Amino acid sequence: MGSVTIHLLVEKSLKTDDVPLPEDDDFHFESTSHILLADSSLVELMDVVELKPTVCNNNKDKLQNLTILDLSYNPVKNISSIVRMNMELSGPRSKTLHSMNWYPSGKLCILP
């Protein structure tokens, strides 16, 4: 099917204790890119998102207090609930990167 390039913008306070939580609109981001198969699930995508241990212990913890924005859309689309509802590797509670319209690429922003 092909590969998908996912560009991630992760707010720095989620990755390190050196950066305080954002106040107002003062965000600082770390940008990374990952190449995954187009039929990879959202769970596999969340596995490559690295956050500090105090934020999460597993994917379900990781998602509870995060806001995930799909920057591929104009205007930007909040997909937090879609990701939370589809956290299985396969089956009816799973979505692929292709089904999320991220083929050949997608851009996500992860906020606290």
Side-chain angles (χ1 to χ4, degrees):
M1 177 176 276
S3 297
V4 173
T5 302
I6 296 290
H7 305 283
L8 296 173
L9 293 173
V10 179
E11 210 289 318
K12 283 189 177 181
S13 68
L14 296 171
K15 298 196 61 103
T16 179
D17 289 323
D18 298 340
V19 180
L21 284 172
E23 296 178 12
D24 300 325
D25 294 332
D26 189 26
F27 291 104
H28 302 278
F29 294 97
E30 182 176 296
S31 176
T32 60
S33 294
H34 301 279
I35 297 174
L36 299 166
L37 294 175
D39 61 352
S40 297
S41 68
L42 288 174
V43 174
E44 293 168 297
L45 171 61
M46 292 310 294
D47 285 342
V48 302
V49 177
E50 295 178 11
L51 302 178
K52 64 184 178 183
T54 56
V55 173
C56 67
N57 294 323
N58 59 42
N59 277 340
K60 289 192 180 192
D61 288 345
K62 187 184 292 188
L63 294 173
Q64 290 309 316
N65 298 316
L66 297 180
T67 299
I68 304 170
L69 303 176
D70 187 344
L71 305 179
S72 306
Y73 289 93
N74 187 10
V76 172
K77 183 176 177 182
N78 184 340
I79 61 165
S80 304
S81 62
I82 294 170
V83 175
R84 286 186 194 108
M85 290 179 356
N86 293 284
M87 287 307 297
E88 301 292 328
L89 278 171
S90 61
R93 294 198 58 195
S94 174
K95 280 200 175 271
T96 65
L97 304 183
H98 188 269
S99 69
M100 294 292 293
N101 295 319
W102 295 334
Y103 180 80
S105 68
K107 189 169 190 176
L108 301 178
C109 178
I110 301 176
L111 301 169

